[in-house]
Amino acid sequence: MNRNSAFVSVVAAIGGLLFGYNTGIISGALSFLAQDFSLSTLEQELVVSTLLFGAIIGAFGGGLIANKIGRKKTLFLTVIFFFFGIVTMGDAVGFTTLLLGRFVTGIACGLASMVVPLYIAEMSPAKRRGALVSINQLMITFGILLAYIMQYLLAKHSQWREMFAFAMIPLSLQFLGLFFIPETPSWLLQNRGQEAADKVFNKYGIPPEVQVVQKKGDSDWRHLFKPGIRPIFFVGVGITIFQQMTGVNAVLYYAPAIFQSSGVHTTESAFFATIFVGLVNFIFTGISLWLIDRLGRRFLLIFGLAGMILSLLVLGFSFFEPKISSEIITIIALLCYIAFFAISIGPIAWLIPSEIFPLSIRSTAIGAVTFINWACNYVVSLTFLSMIGTFGTGPTFWLYMTITLLGLWFVWKKVPETKGKSLEQIQHFWHKK
Ligand code: BGC
């Protein structure tokens, strides 16, 4: 990959970083917001989940907008939504403005989660597509880690406004970078003709296999339910549902609260422990990128999901009253759970959909999968605190464990190995099936 392509991928992937940062920072800001605005449990859940509601809408609209105005302009639009969302959250004077800020930031996150992988995929050679899609996940986890570090540094003086405002730094970098990246050749070819596309092809050295474009009408979402596509869609949707319903964001969004309820006494040490959650998530995502083409997707998924099941079992036990274990067991079980997630279904739930669909329907399918991903995320974060209140923390983690068991069965039975296969071979496999 030449230097130009690397540059455009990084500029686009700052969108992933912002998505990670804005979803992660709430775990630190939440307790201060609850104090300053006297928020009830339901209101706290709403503050967390309204971003996700916005993201569902952003992901849904993202596919349509990116087809209409182009990928690059959609990236600009994402920056604008991020800007207004962050300013509104940072300046919030009460529950309503806070919700509004979270909602607008959510739209930006939804747009980014859809358009960034699409942009990168269209700017990179097919051989590199898997690795580049996964770089987006690495940037998401880096954003989450950055959020955890900032919330630890700013917690001492309850500076929740600054926690939100920090996102302006990567946002400004992306805004400047966007002036130096092109529209994708696939979109240009369809909308502005061969000559416009050729300029980008030549400058970025994009090989001909990327130059295949969709025919008008190919991207109609109804094609997802055609007999030939249906089983593929089933796999893509299944894996995205299990990525979310196994509870990862219950852990990531509420990590400091979980640590405190397990016996970590001060807010500061709970935030400190949370940094390790972010660090483990980031490091193991990096390790996964290295292993993914060596050990294969299926092996990593089965290994990771089995590890998550074991960690959730121990995590559930560690909350039982009367306490039979110390908080250190909770911390270790939680870190193991995140490590197993990050090495497996974290990145692979995005990678598989980018590989298994035929090119003609790929962007529509990724849009649909992204939409379902945010919707499941919404359900988990809206219900987590209430479930803890009703069933207790231990049984709540055991519920996630049961869902992870189902996920393991699903992967075992339904998810094909795509390691080392060309996209044509993958299509041939589905065709034979
Ligand atoms: C998921 C997010 C999650 C993150 C954790 C992403 O793939 O879409 O919901 O917070 O991974 O690393």
Side-chain angles (χ1 to χ4, degrees):
M1 195 173 48
N2 65 33
R3 251 191 308 162
N4 282 339
S5 310
F7 173 75
V8 300
S9 299
V10 170
V11 170
I14 297 178
L17 189 156
L18 285 160
F19 149 19
Y21 186 86
N22 282 292
T23 52
I25 197 65
I26 199 63
S27 69
L30 194 63
S31 58
F32 304 117
L33 293 169
Q35 270 166 28
D36 281 8
F37 299 137
S38 322
L39 304 180
S40 65
T41 302
L42 179 68
E43 285 172 331
Q44 289 181 50
E45 282 177 340
L46 282 172
V47 167
V48 174
S49 58
T50 299
L51 178 137
L52 307 172
F53 184 58
I56 295 174
I57 295 175
F60 186 72
L64 304 174
I65 297 173
N67 280 343
K68 191 127 204 104
I69 65 173
R71 290 29 169 160
K72 183 177 165 173
K73 283 195 186 134
T74 310
L75 282 168
F76 265 115
L77 194 67
T78 306
V79 168
I80 295 171
F81 273 106
F82 268 127
F83 178 81
F84 283 110
I86 293 165
V87 169
T88 315
M89 287 189 307
D91 279 340
V93 288
F95 179 58
T96 319
T97 35
L98 198 57
L99 278 196
L100 183 70
R102 289 283 290 169
F103 179 69
V104 175
T105 311
I107 293 181
C109 287
L111 281 172
S113 64
M114 156 72 209
V115 75
V116 173
L118 181 62
Y119 181 86
I120 296 178
E122 290 184 346
M123 287 301 292
S124 50
K127 267 198 307 217
R128 296 272 174 176
R129 204 174 285 140
L132 288 167
V133 170
S134 303
I135 281 181
N136 188 43
Q137 173 72 6
L138 196 63
M139 289 291 260
I140 295 172
T141 58
F142 183 58
I144 297 174
L145 173 63
L146 217 55
Y148 289 168
I149 294 173
M150 291 316 293
Q151 73 191 19
Y152 172 68
L153 296 177
L154 295 168
K156 222 180 234 130
H157 302 292
S158 316
Q159 291 163 283
W160 60 265
R161 292 184 195 278
E162 287 77 359
M163 290 182 194
F164 290 131
F166 178 80
M168 283 298 181
I169 298 175
L171 187 66
S172 313
L173 287 177
Q174 192 185 31
F175 178 67
L176 290 178
L178 286 181
F179 288 98
F180 299 97
I181 69 171
E183 180 50 81
T184 71
S186 306
W187 188 85
L188 286 172
L189 198 54
Q190 252 186 327
N191 296 277
R192 298 281 181 274
Q194 187 74 48
E195 206 179 310
D198 279 348
K199 277 196 200 138
V200 182
F201 282 138
N202 296 338
K203 177 155 181 218
Y204 290 86
I206 299 168
E209 73 253 23
V210 190
Q211 303 186 17
V212 186
V213 289
Q214 296 178 357
K215 290 196 275 326
K216 279 251 177 302
D218 269 354
S219 56
D220 190 328
W221 62 270
R222 277 169 295 198
H223 290 327
L224 291 173
F225 300 100
K226 273 184 167 174
I229 303 290
R230 218 182 293 146
I232 315 180
F233 191 47
F234 180 66
V235 169
V237 168
I239 198 149
T240 214
I241 290 179
F242 285 115
Q243 190 212 39
Q244 291 299 323
M245 298 307 271
T246 48
V248 66
N249 288 315
V251 171
L252 289 177
Y253 299 169
Y254 297 102
I258 297 174
F259 284 134
Q260 278 182 309
S261 72
S262 82
V264 174
H265 293 301
T266 63
T267 314
E268 206 180 336
S269 32
F271 283 156
F272 190 66
T274 304
I275 293 183
F276 286 96
V277 175
L279 199 62
V280 165
N281 190 18
F282 176 62
I283 292 174
F284 279 83
T285 303
I287 295 177
S288 176
L289 299 204
W290 186 68
L291 291 177
I292 237 162
D293 287 315
R294 293 181 180 157
L295 300 179
R297 285 66 162 144
R298 268 179 71 83
F299 176 84
L300 279 184
L301 277 174
I302 291 167
F303 173 75
L305 289 168
M308 284 165 73
I309 292 169
L310 222 85
S311 313
L312 285 167
L313 184 71
V314 176
L315 198 57
F317 268 121
S318 79
F319 279 95
F320 254 77
E321 296 289 350
K323 276 231 174 308
I324 45 167
S325 68
S326 67
E327 66 266 19
I328 198 76
I329 303 282
T330 310
I331 297 178
I332 292 175
L334 209 105
L335 291 178
C336 286
Y337 166 79
I338 289 296
F340 284 118
F341 168 87
I343 209 162
S344 61
I345 200 162
I348 298 175
W350 293 109
L351 181 56
I352 297 257
S354 83
E355 295 181 320
I356 58 176
F357 290 101
L359 181 71
S360 58
I361 193 83
R362 188 174 300 141
S363 70
T364 309
I366 292 178
V369 165
T370 308
F371 169 74
I372 293 168
N373 187 282
W374 284 108
C376 294
N377 191 341
Y378 184 65
V379 171
V380 169
S381 6
L382 194 62
T383 52
F384 180 62
L385 289 185
S386 321
M387 283 208 314
I388 287 186
T390 317
F391 306 117
T393 313
T396 302
F397 283 124
W398 283 342
L399 179 67
Y400 295 140
M401 181 187 76
T402 314
I403 299 175
T404 316
L405 257 170
L406 277 175
L408 186 60
W409 173 85
F410 177 83
V411 169
W412 192 276
K413 287 275 178 214
K414 303 282 176 202
V415 178
E417 183 54 81
T418 49
K419 179 190 97 172
K421 295 204 174 99
S422 73
L423 297 177
E424 288 71 25
Q425 282 169 330
I426 296 173
Q427 285 327 301
H428 188 64
F429 162 84
W430 289 114
H431 197 70
K432 265 193 2 214
K433 260 197 125 181

